[in-house]
Structure formats: C-alpha cells, structure tokens
Amino acid sequence: MPDAKHDWMAALDISGLLVSEPVLHEHFADGPPAISDYLRRRVTTEWERFQLRPSEGQSQWLNVVLEDLTGIAREHWRKHPDIPAETTHALAEHTQTLRPSRVLVDDEGEPLLLVWIAPTAHGLDVRETESGRWYATPSTKLQRLMREVEVPLGLATNGRQFRLMFAGEGVTPHITWTAATWMDEPETLDAFAMLLGADRFFGDEEARLLALVEESEQRQLDVTDQLGDQVRAALDQLVRAVGHADRQARGEILAAMSFDEIYEMALVFLMRLVFLLYGEEKTLLPHGEVLYDRSYGITHLWTQLSREHHDDAPAMRRTFDAFPRLLATFRLIHAGCEHPDLKLLGYGGHMFDPERFPALEDRRLRISNATMHDILHKLIFARGKVGRTYVSQRLSYRQLDVEQLGSVYEGLIDGMVRRADEVMVTIDSGDQPVVALSELQAREGDDLADFLRSVSSMSPKKAESIACRAGTSAPPAVLDEIEGAEALDADLLRRIAPYAEFLDVSATVLPGDLYLVQQSGQRKAGGQYYTPKWITRFICQRTLEPLCHDDAGRIKEPREILELNVCDPAMGSGAFLVQACRFLAEKLVDSWDACVRRTGEQVTIPFGEPVSQAPPTARVLPEDHDEAVTWAMRYVADNCLYGVDVNPLAVEIAKMSLWLATLSKDRPFTFLDHKLKCGNSIIGAWAEDIDRYPAHAWDRRAETGSALNEALKQIRRQVRDQLRQAEQDERAGQRTLSAQVPDVRQQVAEALLEIERVDTLDPGEKERLYHGLQANPRWQAVKRMYDAWCALWFWPMTSPLDPVGAGNGTSPPGPLSVPARGRTE
C-alpha cells in the first residue's frame, strides 16, 4: 500500500482531513524522517522533568518541543508581551480578548502559526473559566481566534497534548499527539517533528505545511469525484444483481415494485453501507468488539471477502453468505441489541427499517459474494494520484465531511432503472453510458465516431481513432483474453469483440436484465446543483449570526435560539441544513456558557436553567465541549431545521446527511419525517385561493388540435357556471371546505407542537404521533383539496375530451370535484 510508511497516523487522534496519506507519501515516501538520538534523549529527559513538576516545568518543556524538536529558531517566536496586535481579537459579546500564548512569524513578521497554551491539568476539550468570561474549551477559543485574525494554522497544547488545527471552511480538522506515547511509539514523535519542523514553515514553498494542507483538500475533492463515479458503478452492479435474482425467481421478487421503487431500494442499500463504514471508523458502532466484528461488522466482512477473493475469486460467484449477513447487520442497527456481549442502541428510523423494502428480505434474492466484494471495493477504495501514477488508496470515512458524502449521493438522484429489450453494452468512458449493441453494429467510420461522442465524454480524437479500428473481427485466440469474457456465450462474445476496446465487457446487459441509466442533463434542467461548503458557511454565518445576538452584541438565550426556524425550500442533499445545524449548535453552546456565567452554577440543557431550579431528571450541561456540541446539534435539528425538495430521493439523502452530522453512540436517529418533506415549494395555494375554482387554469391553448382547443372552451364555460353556483351557495349560507381550513390547520399545528415537545431521545413516540396526524381524515381531506386546486394548472391536454365531466384519463375534474362545493369528512 502507498501509505505503509505512514501507519503512525493510526496511533493519533485525527478528526477530519488535515494532511492526507497520499500527500504525505508523495512528499515523505519513506515515512517521517527519524530525529537524532541526541534530540530524542533530550525530549525524553525534559518530559520526565515535566512529569515531576508540571506547572513549574511547562514553559521549559514547551521550549524544548517548539524550538529544539522543531528546529525553529527562537527569534521567530513571539511571546508575551511581544504578541503582535493583529493576532488578538476582542469578543464584545463575552467582554474578553482572545490572545495567543505564542506566535510563529516569518522573516517579515507575518504570523504563520498561533499557539494557545492551557494549564497542564486542563484538557483541550474541557471548558475553562480562568482566562476570561467565555467558558469555552482551549481548542474552541483557538479556533475562533484563528478565524477572526485569518491565520489558518494553530497549535493548542497543555504540555501533555499537542493539537495541530486548520481553520478552513466548515469543520476544523485536527491531529492530536499525546506526549506520553512519544516514548513508546517513536514514529509519532518523528511525525510531529516532520509536520511542525522548520522546513514546513521556512523551506520549499510546495512542501510547507499550509501547502500540504491545501493540496490534501484539493485531492480530497478529486477523491470525492472519483467516489461518485464508483458509487454509481456499484449502484449499477447492485441493480443488475437484483434483476438477475428476480429473473431466477420468475419475476416474483420485484413483481409489486416499479422501476422507481427498485432504484430507491438499491440507493438506500448503498446508503446503509456508507452509514456502517462511517459509523465504524468514527467508533460510533462497536467496531473492535469480537462478537460484533465476526458476526456483523462491515470492516471485518470486507476482510473476509478480500481473503476469499485472493484465494479463489471464481468460487465467490457460487457463494452467497455476505448479503444475508449485511441484512442481519441492518436489522441490528434498526432494533439494537441488549445481549451483555453486544450492547447496541437501536437507532430506529426509516433508513434501516427491514419492513421498508420486503424484496430485500426475500430469501430468493441471492447476491453472490463476488458481487458484494466488488460493491464494497468500490465504496472502500478510490484511485488517488501519487506522483505521476494512480494507485488504489483506501478511503478514510472519518476524514470525509458529511457534505462530501451528500454531494456523492446527490449526483445519483437523477438515475433510473430500465429493463433491456436487447443486448446492451457499456461504454467505458465518463459516466459509463449504456447503449444497444445493435446501435454500434449499424455504424462505422465517422458515423460511429460521431455516435460515441454524442453518448459519452470521449474526446473527438479518441473517438475517431477507435472508430477506425472498430468493427473488424477478432481472432478466436483473442476472445478469451477479453476481460469479463467468461460470463458471455461464444456467439455474443464474437459480436462484442470488435468493440471490446472501448467497452466494459463485464457490464454487458442481456435481454430481460435490469440496468441503470443516468438522465443526462436532468439535474441541470431541474436547477439542481451542489453548493460548495464555503458558500453554505458564508451564507449561514451572514444570515444567522445577527439572529443569535441582541442589539448590544450579546448572545441570546438558549430558548430564543431554539425558536429560530431555518427552512431550505430546495434542500437537495441538505448541505445548507447541515451547515446551519453546525452554526446554530455552536451558538447554542455559547448561550449555555453565558447562562453558566450569569448564574454562577451548572445549568441544564436545552434551555440553560440553573440546576438548583431544575427537576432531578433534567440533563446537566456536559463539561466536554464536543459532547455539548453533539447535544446542541441534536436539539437544533429537532427544533430549528426544515427542508423541502421535489425529489423524494433528495429527501432521503438530506436525512442521511443530518443523521451522520448528529450521530451519537448512545442516541437514536433524530425523527425528521415531519421536518424534511418531499414537495414542490414553488407551487401552492393560499387559504383564500381555495374559495374559488381556479378558472384561469384553463385560460390556455392546447399545443395541437382544434378539438382540444374546443374542449378548453367547454371547460371554461362549465367553470363559469360552477363559480356562479358557488357564489349563490355561499350567499345562502352553505359552508365551504375552505371555511373549515382554519380549524383543521389549528388542529395540525397543535399536533406538531405536541411532537416537538417529545424528548429528542424518544423518536419512536414522535413517529407514532406523526403517523397519527397523517391518518387524520380531516387533514387528508384538506390536503387533497389543496393538491387538486394546484393540479388543475398542470392538467395535461393531449386528446379530445369525452362529454365534459365524464373523465377519460386526460379530462379535468367534473362538477363534483370543484373544491368550493365539497365537504370535509
């Protein structure tokens, strides 16, 4: 593996992506250079002295680490009272000035690195009250300072821990060294000297620390693009495997499912796999416990499948135990386990519900271990560039942002499942377009080149070169050498062989098989674009910052922050909602800290009430900052966030994004069904619109045919007659449907408030109440009324009508359907 020399990373606490393994391998191919024996002895001696007298010896110990170990000359360090003024920042809302303990400057005096030194007994993630009125952690204070003074690199330390941080866009990635391990694992000490040595700040510009971080970010974006292609290929492979199993069962497995439902099922299956990979790397699932790993863990399953593939890859096409094992894991995640050897919280929710897709649970759905190996490989590995070559590198899901995962899956929402009527082949280019083999056979020369350019991302030069060579018969001896040839019969292989140069032969689709197609240009036509993280952060900060503070700049009360409502009317994968959740959670934690300062005692969450005035069952604000932020994100997601998208798959992806962002080891999924909804936020009706039939909906002309235009005239005449009758009924005192709307809306509002009042740790009760609301006949009647009113504006006119009001599939609703004259049930 290209990163074998950098196994030291596994021994550190790493959050997010600061410096990636491929970047390290390219710049430090042999791993971290070993420091000299003299320097290692000096560090060991000073560490032992520091251990004996931590408070008194901290300054000397840090001098050894930051100057001797790094090789950075003393004249480049600024300490009190020479801290540059431009590296300090006054926080008006906390009446405190943030000031670094040390600053590393270049030859011109420009700051390169901020250092925040906490007391030796104080953890980097524990709130401190000694340095001012802002009761935040040392890491949080340094992060805020770095952003305010625009110095992207910082180091927080208490002498025992050293945390290197990068204040980029979104979450602040960091690497934390524990000095106690430096003696037992010397390569981690070498790595510290490598990343914080003098050359990283004063050496070759391309190898400086900031350049390495920025290069890692760019490569991570490239990996995300690559992962998107691979997930699409994995999805296609899963769809084909499901279709093959269905054919073996004579079509009985998928008989009750539409193509859209099959696609949704396959996509949710892959989302479940991503959740497992993310959860295990984040240690949110019991990865490392023997029973979980051997029976349920996806990482251990991958190891087993890799071993099988190495020993006898062809035999994996005849074994089928990996797929049902994954289904068992899905059920475990959904329901949880109380066995003493495998304690696991049931996350609940709709994502892992085994009843959601009965076809997945059908015993006849057999997917081979070979297929599952290929699918997992596409999710776990991505091609990364090392030097001038591309190598397969293992993805680190704990270093992937939730927004990146969301963008990967957002690129799949325009996919469709189709069933082949003839032999279909896959062009090995770009997004792997699938075309009929007969289309290739009917073309040659320039005609074939033009066709390849029109259906794929192939360059004109490559298409012309391939077209010149394609179409000629291949010698029999060459047929068996074609990759993927073993799965095809001899006759079909001979038909495909002339085009094998630009085809993925292993992805050939036989008549009757299911396959995946992308709707080219569909996302662009629908205005669907992924919003980069730097944009979402900027907009959320500019929009929400003023709402979280009063006119004097003081942070508002927790209750006021939790009463904010943030709605994204076209949420896509939830990029804005995730960023808003993070931003408001940090503000909520600030507000809790302000309550602690004001009351002088511990407070409870979520409303910051003093412990002395709260019931015994109230939750106390955690001392650990990260734990407090996790709680805050749950409360924000539960109280403040709303989203709408016209694509139901986008809603599923947005839910997954928020679940991953708020995921906790001991808390179930937040219930989001009543907050993230599928619908068209552009189209709708006001309550006052419902009183009258939308007559103007028929003020249009049919695209073709005088008969259709005559039918529209009939409709308009009928509408006018009905409106006159409705006005007479209203004058006569007949109660219209719209008159009952306020009562129903009040009932629904009260039901939603009841859902909101349920504790965030009881999503099952929230779901029960919500389903009760969904089943309310009065609410459903009003909903149908609004839907019918809106639908008339888009009613298709494609053929002449039957007698007006009869209805023939294209006719508009007749007299009995006019909303103003109906009654709620």
Side-chain angles (χ1 to χ4, degrees):
M1 293 294 294
D3 56 356
K5 298 291 186 178
H6 293 282
D7 288 341
W8 56 269
M9 298 184 76
L12 303 181
D13 174 17
I14 299 178
S15 177
L17 177 71
L18 198 147
V19 182
S20 68
E21 294 176 16
V23 169
L24 288 173
H25 180 82
E26 182 165 340
H27 290 273
F28 309 99
D30 296 325
I35 62 175
S36 67
D37 292 339
Y38 164 77
L39 194 52
R40 198 177 302 276
R41 288 194 300 270
R42 175 141 170 71
V43 169
T44 302
T45 300
E46 288 299 331
W47 168 250
E48 292 173 350
R49 289 177 180 172
F50 170 64
Q51 290 286 81
L52 294 174
R53 303 179 64 187
S55 299
E56 296 84 350
Q58 186 188 54
S59 179
Q60 176 60 24
W61 162 240
L62 292 179
N63 286 338
V64 170
V65 173
L66 298 179
E67 297 174 13
D68 298 351
L69 178 60
T70 63
I72 297 175
R74 183 167 300 180
E75 57 264 25
H76 285 293
W77 288 104
R78 298 289 183 267
K79 307 176 185 178
H80 181 75
D82 299 323
I83 298 295
E86 64 269 22
T87 62
T88 65
H89 179 74
L91 300 175
E93 69 270 30
H94 299 295
T95 62
Q96 176 181 356
T97 297
L98 297 180
R99 182 176 287 104
S101 306
R102 302 187 186 192
V103 180
L104 177 64
V105 299
D106 62 15
D107 294 333
E108 285 74 36
E110 292 295 323
L112 302 174
L113 177 78
L114 305 183
V115 179
W116 189 283
I117 301 176
T120 57
H122 199 93
L124 299 182
D125 295 312
V126 178
R127 290 182 181 81
E128 55 93 5
T129 60
E130 291 83 0
S131 65
R133 291 176 54 81
W134 185 23
Y135 296 172
T137 70
S139 292
T140 301
K141 291 187 176 183
L142 176 57
Q143 175 186 334
R144 174 74 180 270
L145 178 60
M146 292 161 64
R147 293 189 187 280
E148 294 291 354
V149 303
E150 298 182 350
V151 177
L153 294 172
L155 182 71
T157 180
N158 56 9
R160 303 181 187 280
Q161 295 172 293
F162 293 84
R163 177 169 295 171
L164 177 63
M165 305 165 63
F166 173 68
E169 300 295 339
V171 178
T172 301
H174 65 251
I175 300 177
T176 304
W177 286 264
T178 302
T181 65
W182 283 350
M183 314 311 151
D184 299 326
E185 300 182 43
E187 65 275 9
T188 62
L189 178 61
D190 297 334
F192 183 91
M194 174 184 72
L195 289 181
L196 286 153
D199 287 345
R200 301 290 77 74
F201 298 97
F202 304 99
D204 179 16
E205 289 191 4
E206 293 185 358
R208 292 186 182 182
L209 180 57
L210 187 57
L212 298 182
V213 172
E214 291 173 346
E215 183 181 354
S216 298
E217 277 196 326
Q218 182 56 50
R219 291 199 182 190
Q220 188 76 341
L221 293 176
D222 296 339
V223 167
T224 303
D225 293 339
Q226 175 70 23
L227 180 60
D229 293 338
Q230 293 181 187
V231 170
R232 185 181 296 109
L235 185 62
D236 183 40
Q237 193 166 4
L238 178 61
V239 165
R240 297 187 191 201
V242 169
H244 179 74
D246 184 55
R247 288 185 64 195
Q248 296 291 321
R250 299 183 296 279
E252 295 176 0
I253 299 175
L254 305 177
M257 300 183 70
S258 66
F259 286 152
D260 287 344
E261 290 170 331
I262 295 170
Y263 184 81
E264 180 183 357
M265 178 180 73
L267 184 59
V268 169
F269 184 90
L270 290 191
M271 289 165 61
R272 291 175 177 180
L273 297 183
V274 167
F275 173 89
L276 294 177
L277 291 167
Y278 186 90
E280 289 188 5
E281 285 205 32
K282 289 276 191 177
T283 67
L284 298 168
L285 298 175
H287 177 48
E289 296 184 13
V290 175
L291 181 56
Y292 174 83
D293 283 347
R294 291 184 177 178
S295 303
Y296 300 100
I298 191 171
T299 304
H300 192 74
L301 174 62
W302 164 251
T303 303
Q304 288 181 318
L305 292 176
S306 298
R307 190 178 301 116
E308 290 180 25
H309 185 266
H310 178 269
D311 294 341
D312 191 355
M316 297 181 71
R317 292 195 292 270
R318 301 187 295 274
T319 54
F320 302 88
D321 59 291
F323 180 74
R325 173 172 160 173
L326 284 173
L327 295 181
T329 304
F330 298 160
R331 290 191 288 269
L332 175 72
I333 299 298
H334 180 75
C337 181
E338 297 183 358
H339 192 278
D341 293 334
L342 183 56
K343 288 283 188 179
L344 182 66
L345 171 80
Y347 282 94
H350 197 43
M351 184 176 179
F352 284 93
D353 189 351
E355 297 181 4
R356 181 176 179 181
F357 299 110
L360 284 179
E361 304 292 328
D362 195 311
R363 292 179 179 273
R364 295 168 295 181
L365 183 57
R366 288 160 53 85
I367 298 179
S368 72
N369 284 8
T371 298
M372 293 312 306
H373 172 270
D374 291 346
I375 290 174
L376 288 176
H377 186 274
K378 290 180 174 70
L379 297 181
I380 294 174
F381 289 88
R383 285 180 43 173
K385 192 173 184 181
V386 175
R388 297 183 178 180
T389 63
Y390 284 90
V391 297
S392 181
Q393 67 179 73
R394 180 151 186 170
L395 287 167
S396 175
Y397 276 83
R398 68 175 178 172
Q399 293 181 349
L400 283 175
D401 288 335
V402 170
E403 292 92 332
Q404 288 178 297
L405 291 175
S407 72
V408 166
Y409 281 88
E410 190 172 10
L412 302 175
I413 63 177
D414 57 350
M416 299 184 300
V417 170
R418 291 291 180 262
R419 193 179 298 278
D421 296 324
E422 57 180 309
V423 175
M424 310 291 290
V425 290
T426 303
I427 297 177
D428 193 10
S429 173
D431 56 359
Q432 301 282 96
V434 180
V435 300
L437 177 59
S438 59
E439 289 275 9
L440 298 180
Q441 293 177 316
R443 290 173 167 82
E444 60 182 22
D446 292 342
D447 190 22
L448 177 58
D450 292 340
F451 176 73
L452 292 176
R453 289 199 302 271
S454 67
V455 299
S456 72
S457 59
M458 197 177 295
S459 67
K461 184 176 181 180
K462 183 177 180 180
E464 291 171 5
S465 175
I466 286 176
C468 291
R469 299 190 297 273
T472 57
S473 299
V478 177
L479 297 182
D480 293 336
E481 298 177 5
I482 297 175
E483 186 176 353
E486 65 278 358
L488 305 177
D489 63 51
D491 179 62
L492 179 56
L493 186 58
R494 281 192 292 271
R495 293 172 57 196
I496 291 177
Y499 312 98
E501 178 184 357
F502 60 87
L503 298 180
D504 181 357
V505 177
S506 63
T508 301
V509 184
L510 302 179
D513 281 350
L514 298 178
Y515 66 99
L516 183 68
V517 295
Q518 296 294 124
Q519 302 179 72
S520 178
Q522 185 73 13
R523 295 185 67 221
K524 183 178 180 180
Q528 301 168 9
Y529 297 94
Y530 173 70
T531 310
K533 187 167 58 177
W534 69 270
I535 295 179
T536 62
R537 177 178 176 80
F538 175 81
I539 292 177
C540 286
Q541 183 171 2
R542 287 297 182 93
T543 305
L544 299 176
E545 180 85 31
L547 302 178
C548 296
H549 298 267
D550 61 20
D551 294 338
R554 294 184 296 265
I555 192 74
K556 288 184 177 180
E557 293 294 314
R559 192 178 298 273
E560 294 179 272
I561 293 176
L562 289 174
E563 287 175 352
L564 293 173
N565 292 325
V566 178
C567 180
D568 187 343
M571 62 183 170
S573 63
F576 272 106
L577 294 179
V578 169
Q579 194 65 253
C581 188
R582 289 199 182 105
F583 184 86
L584 288 178
E586 290 288 352
K587 292 299 179 182
L588 183 57
V589 173
D590 286 349
S591 184
W592 289 339
D593 290 340
C595 292
V596 173
R597 291 195 304 273
R598 186 178 64 253
T599 62
E601 62 175 295
Q602 284 185 312
V603 299
T604 60
I605 55 177
F607 299 126
E609 299 165 334
V611 171
S612 60
Q613 302 175 17
T617 57
R619 291 189 195 95
V620 178
L621 174 64
E623 283 294 319
D624 183 85
H625 177 76
D626 288 344
E627 185 180 355
V629 171
T630 299
W631 273 109
M633 292 187 70
R634 299 281 295 212
Y635 284 118
V636 168
D638 210 35
N639 290 274
C640 306
L641 305 181
Y642 300 85
V644 181
D645 201 278
V646 71
N647 191 306
L649 291 181
V651 178
E652 291 297 321
I653 296 167
K655 287 180 185 177
M656 183 189 75
S657 297
L658 278 174
W659 279 333
L660 291 177
T662 61
L663 196 60
S664 176
K665 193 171 187 177
D666 54 356
R667 292 155 213 157
F669 287 140
T670 301
F671 182 68
L672 298 171
D673 287 8
H674 64 307
K675 292 180 168 292
L676 306 185
K677 305 289 291 183
C678 181
N680 194 322
S681 57
I682 298 177
I683 299 165
W686 298 103
E688 56 267 25
D689 295 334
I690 301 300
D691 270 337
R692 291 186 175 276
Y693 189 95
H696 292 297
W698 306 109
D699 289 342
R700 49 182 160 128
R701 293 182 62 83
E703 293 183 3
T704 58
S706 58
L708 293 180
N709 286 313
E710 181 61 32
L712 282 169
K713 291 180 182 179
Q714 295 180 41
I715 294 171
R716 284 193 287 270
R717 285 195 294 269
Q718 182 189 23
V719 166
R720 294 189 189 101
D721 292 341
Q722 293 188 35
L723 288 178
R724 282 193 292 271
Q725 181 62 49
E727 290 172 357
Q728 294 174 12
D729 291 343
E730 189 173 351
R731 285 194 296 270
Q734 180 174 325
R735 194 180 187 207
T736 62
L737 249 179
S738 60
Q740 303 180 51
V741 168
D743 294 340
V744 176
R745 291 179 64 183
Q746 181 63 28
Q747 184 181 5
V748 170
E750 291 174 356
L752 290 174
L753 286 175
E754 185 180 1
I755 294 173
E756 296 294 341
R757 284 192 288 267
V758 176
D759 191 276
T760 185
L761 290 186
D762 194 1
E765 177 63 9
K766 289 178 179 285
E767 184 173 8
R768 186 190 69 78
L769 293 173
Y770 179 66
H771 287 165
L773 173 61
Q774 291 290 88
N776 184 306
R778 296 188 70 204
W779 165 239
Q780 288 302 319
V782 169
K783 185 176 183 298
R784 288 195 300 271
M785 178 183 69
Y786 277 89
D787 288 345
W789 194 96
C790 295
L792 293 181
W793 297 87
F794 304 94
W795 204 276
M797 294 294 295
T798 57
S799 62
L801 302 174
D802 288 341
V804 175
N808 64 352
T810 59
S811 304
L816 296 180
S817 298
V818 177
R821 301 189 61 195
R823 290 182 56 193
T824 54
E825 299 174 1

